[in-house]
Amino acid sequence: MRFVTFSRGTDGEPTFGIVVDETTVVDLVKGLEGEVDVPESLLEYIKSGPELHRSVVEAVDGREWPAALTCHIDDIVLHAPFRPGKIIGVGLNYVEHVEESSRTLDTSESLPTRPVLFSKPGTAVIGPDEPILHNAMMTSELDWECELAVVIAHRSKSVTESDAMNHVFGYSIVNDISARDQRRSGQWFFSKGQDSFAPFGPMVVSADEISDPHSLQLSLTVNGEPRQNGNSKHMLFKIPQLIADITAGVTLETGDVIATGSPQGVGAAMVPPTYLLPGDVVAATIEQIGTLSNPVKAV
Ligand code: MG
């Protein structure tokens, strides 16, 4: 299923629902009232575990929804699916991106031998169409990275590679916004963790809908112009390796997100280097998930 968190109008209470075709959203709590006890938020839903998910999948299968329970996706405000407890980023996880980074970001040209990990705080999370903040005091090199986001299903510690996919609830998109100048000066936290540097959404697609997360096309545009185009099959460390590696040292919890790395085509590698400026609109698309679009705004 395809889950969204949304409100009707700008001051409506957020709720969550499912996208039943390209444009129709059903409020899941109201839609299954009296039939399946659905919690109020997507994060609580994921925490409830696979039994609830199976009941909901069964209940919504092939169902005709009365108009009173549906809305058009253009008539609602989409939010970030939820605020993850933590976002773990994976640097240099696509071969061509390792190459372009070594040319432009002073990183090594040899491929990493284990995942390069960092984290983003929950305060960096924004939803679809919310502004990425361009703080000129902090950066003049604001860059994009379209990444497949893995949403963790439940508490995960010391997970083996063979068991890792059982810990995945679903997939989404994170645009790993990066201040390249902060990174170059050694400030990873300001490079990756500033407010608004983790656009997340527009939906979470449950793992049962994506048969192979390692064959998804990723792309990104700035003001409609193509910038990134890649495929998750080129990930250096695949999702099971990432989960096994991370949980060897850090417990992952329900709703934690792994941003699995960016393909080639970042602004720092363009000739000349080209960065995001206020007024730009950056749109990250992943096949079978959707498009996450955000404007850039000066602060
Ligand atoms: Mg990244």
Side-chain angles (χ1 to χ4, degrees):
M1 283 192 296
R2 307 164 71 74
F3 294 94
V4 287
T5 296
F6 68 99
S7 53
R8 295 176 180 84
T10 44
D11 47 8
E13 218 22 52
T15 185
F16 83 107
I18 51 171
V19 184
V20 291
D21 55 39
E22 291 304 303
T23 55
T24 306
V25 174
V26 179
D27 180 328
L28 209 50
V29 179
K30 286 206 179 86
L32 295 180
E33 206 166 23
E35 198 176 332
V36 183
D37 198 8
V38 179
E40 295 287 321
S41 74
L42 178 53
L43 191 54
E44 289 302 316
Y45 177 90
I46 300 171
K47 280 183 185 161
S48 300
E51 214 164 291
L52 173 68
H53 182 62
R54 272 194 296 273
S55 310
V56 170
V57 169
E58 221 166 84
V60 305
D61 185 39
R63 193 173 182 125
E64 297 287 330
W65 298 95
L69 289 174
T70 68
C71 37
H72 194 279
I73 203 160
D74 292 342
D75 295 337
I76 57 178
V77 178
L78 291 179
H79 303 288
F82 49 84
R83 180 193 275 200
K86 54 186 171 299
I87 297 177
I88 310 276
V90 185
L92 306 171
N93 202 29
Y94 283 70
V95 177
E96 293 88 348
H97 180 57
V98 173
E99 187 278 322
E100 70 178 7
S101 296
S102 73
R103 266 191 294 115
T104 56
L105 291 168
D106 316 323
T107 52
S108 167
E109 60 183 30
S110 33
L111 296 176
T113 53
R114 63 177 298 193
V116 177
L117 304 175
F118 60 91
S119 74
K120 285 176 180 266
T123 40
V125 172
I126 57 171
D129 302 315
E130 285 191 79
I132 296 163
L133 303 177
H134 185 285
N135 181 347
M137 301 288 283
M138 297 291 279
T139 184
S140 57
E141 298 185 355
L142 192 64
D143 209 344
W144 54 81
E145 296 187 351
C146 173
E147 306 197 4
L148 177 65
V150 174
V151 176
I152 295 298
H154 45 75
R155 192 178 180 280
S156 308
K157 176 72 181 161
S158 303
V159 175
T160 60
E161 281 184 35
S162 58
D163 185 39
M165 297 310 269
N166 295 324
H167 294 250
V168 175
F169 174 79
Y171 303 94
S172 188
I173 304 170
V174 162
N175 189 347
D176 174 17
I177 298 295
S178 308
R180 302 298 186 196
D181 35 10
Q182 290 286 349
R183 156 67 186 79
R184 258 191 224 98
S185 68
Q187 294 289 357
W188 273 93
F189 194 55
F190 285 144
S191 171
K192 297 291 195 178
Q194 290 184 51
D195 295 351
S196 80
F197 277 21
F200 174 39
M203 58 188 78
V204 172
V205 181
S206 54
D208 46 20
E209 292 235 341
I210 293 186
S211 56
D212 184 5
H214 298 106
S215 70
L216 301 173
Q217 202 65 27
L218 292 80
S219 60
L220 181 142
T221 64
V222 177
N223 304 326
E225 290 175 21
R227 293 285 184 258
Q228 290 193 285
N229 198 7
N231 192 291
S232 59
K233 71 181 173 193
H234 297 302
M235 267 185 215
L236 204 52
F237 299 101
K238 310 292 190 213
I239 296 163
Q241 291 171 285
L242 295 174
I243 292 175
D245 191 74
I246 293 166
T247 63
V250 173
T251 300
L252 291 174
E253 298 178 304
T254 305
D256 282 353
V257 164
I258 304 171
T260 55
S262 171
Q264 73 283 4
V266 299
M270 291 176 69
V271 183
T274 306
Y275 298 105
L276 293 170
L277 291 169
D280 288 342
V281 175
V282 55
T285 299
I286 300 182
E287 189 186 1
Q288 295 185 51
I289 298 174
T291 295
L292 173 65
S293 179
N294 298 88
V296 181
K297 186 179 137 188
V299 286

